[in-house]
């Protein structure tokens, strides 16, 4: 069977169609360049299917509206959508100077490892942290302390690790109480060494809230995003 030469030579002219062994008898003199618009070439560009970042994940990254002029911190579209309501609440609470910048909730067993790592990086970036290792009495209710800590802080972050999942699974979570915390748009989950799927299996309410993950960014990069999120010098008047 004769092969159409359109993918190679095109059919934009009458001569091009007449010289094609498959199409010459079909088009003849009545062929016009408009006929080409109905032809779907198998060699068409597929560049639009990739993200503008050019990375393997295909996720484009950009600055947030609260980024400072010289900032090099970049966010995915999903991160900006997640963090924007939090930032808006930070701006509303900017007239309360006595608040800590961040309340860090974590599993007790993480206090000397990943939680302390995040705490130390945040403080090195000038962020004041309400940290349970310093501010919460042993044996206190996790949710009660989250509630109190959020009142005293601009932003609440929950470091979700395998140990954290084990703890909340054992103690249980009061859906009504957690729902009230999430409704404030002040709580950001940070998933570390686990996944959001595993979090949703233990706490659907907390897992329904998007946040940040060390699968996407390093702890240093996450701390930079949090520091920029609560930075008072970028709050718009």
């Amino acid at each position: 069977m004769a092969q159409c030469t359109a993918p190679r030579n095109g059919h934009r002219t009458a001569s091009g169609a007449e010289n094609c062994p498959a199409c010459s008898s079909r088009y003849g003199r009545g062929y016009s360049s408009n006929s080409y618009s109905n032809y779907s070439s198998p060699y068409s560009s597929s560049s639009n299917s990739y993200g503008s970042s050019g990375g393997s994940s295909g996720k484009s990254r950009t600055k947030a509206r609260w980024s400072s002029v010289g900032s090099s911190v970049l966010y995915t579209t999903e991160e900006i959508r997640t963090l924007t309501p939090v930032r808006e609440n930070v701006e509303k609470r900017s007239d309360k100077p006595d608040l800590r910048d961040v309340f860090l909730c974590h599993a007790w067993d993480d206090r000397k490892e990943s939680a302390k790592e995040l705490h130390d990086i945040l403080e090195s970036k000038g962020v004041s942290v309400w940290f349970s290792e310093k501010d919460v009495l042993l044996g206190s209710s996790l949710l009660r302390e989250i509630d109190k800590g959020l009142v005293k802080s601009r932003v609440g972050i929950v470091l979700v690790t395998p140990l954290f999942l084990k703890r909340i699974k054992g103690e249980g979570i009061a859906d009504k109480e957690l729902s009230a915390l999430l409704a404030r748009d002040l709580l950001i989950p940070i998933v570390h060494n686990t996944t959001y799927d595993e979090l949703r299996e233990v706490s659907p309410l907390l897992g329904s809230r998007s946040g940040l993950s060390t699968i996407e960014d390093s702890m240093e990069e996450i701390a930079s995003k949090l520091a920029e999120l609560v930075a008072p010098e970028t709050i718009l008047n």
Side-chain angles (χ1 to χ4, degrees):
M1 182 178 179
Q3 296 293 316
C4 178
T5 61
R8 249 189 354 265
N9 303 326
H11 282 177
R12 291 185 179 276
T13 65
S15 61
E18 290 172 359
N19 291 330
C20 174
C23 303
S24 57
S25 61
R26 192 186 337 169
Y27 293 110
R29 293 181 180 179
Y31 178 81
S32 70
S33 61
N34 290 335
S35 300
Y36 185 78
S37 62
N38 295 324
Y39 180 82
S40 178
S41 171
Y43 301 98
S44 61
S45 171
S46 60
S47 60
N48 290 336
S49 64
Y50 297 95
S52 60
S53 66
S56 59
S57 65
K59 292 182 179 180
S60 60
R61 291 177 179 256
T62 186
K63 286 186 177 183
R65 69 167 178 81
W66 57 85
S67 299
S68 60
V69 175
S71 173
S72 60
V73 180
L74 299 178
Y75 306 78
T76 65
T77 301
E78 183 179 354
E79 287 173 341
I80 290 179
R81 184 168 55 249
T82 296
L83 297 177
T84 293
V86 180
R87 175 61 183 189
E88 290 172 351
N89 273 292
V90 168
E91 292 170 356
K92 291 175 184 176
R93 293 153 68 90
S94 62
D95 59 345
K96 300 179 180 179
D98 296 333
L99 297 179
R100 303 279 184 94
D101 291 322
V102 170
F103 167 66
L104 173 57
C105 172
H106 61 89
W108 177 253
D109 292 334
D110 287 325
R111 70 191 186 282
K112 297 186 182 296
E113 296 181 1
S114 53
K116 187 177 187 305
E117 177 189 1
L118 180 56
H119 166 270
D120 291 348
I121 297 174
L122 285 169
E123 289 211 327
S124 73
K125 297 179 181 297
V127 178
S128 60
V129 183
W130 201 90
F131 187 37
S132 62
E133 181 72 356
K134 302 182 299 184
D135 299 289
V136 179
L137 296 176
L138 181 63
S140 299
S141 166
L142 172 64
L143 289 175
R144 190 175 297 119
E145 294 305 322
I146 290 177
D147 196 30
K148 289 166 58 178
L150 283 172
V151 171
K152 299 177 182 178
S153 305
R154 302 185 195 283
V155 173
I157 58 177
V158 179
L159 183 61
V160 180
T161 65
L163 290 171
F164 182 87
L165 295 179
K166 182 179 179 181
R167 176 177 179 180
I168 61 175
K169 185 177 181 179
E171 294 182 0
I173 287 189
D175 287 350
K176 183 177 180 181
E177 202 168 359
L178 184 56
S179 180
L181 297 178
L182 294 173
R184 296 182 182 183
D185 281 326
L186 292 173
L187 195 63
I188 306 170
I190 298 176
V191 171
H192 179 58
N193 291 335
T194 186
T195 66
Y196 274 96
D197 286 338
E198 292 176 314
L199 172 59
R200 281 187 284 270
E201 289 181 3
V202 177
S203 174
L205 279 172
L206 185 56
S208 68
R209 171 62 57 87
S210 299
L212 303 172
S213 171
T214 54
I215 294 176
E216 298 288 337
D217 295 305
S218 67
M219 197 74 85
E220 178 80 25
E221 290 168 328
I222 286 176
S224 294
K225 291 178 180 181
L226 293 171
E228 189 168 74
L229 187 70
V230 300
E233 61 269 18
T234 61
I235 292 179
L236 303 177
N237 295 321

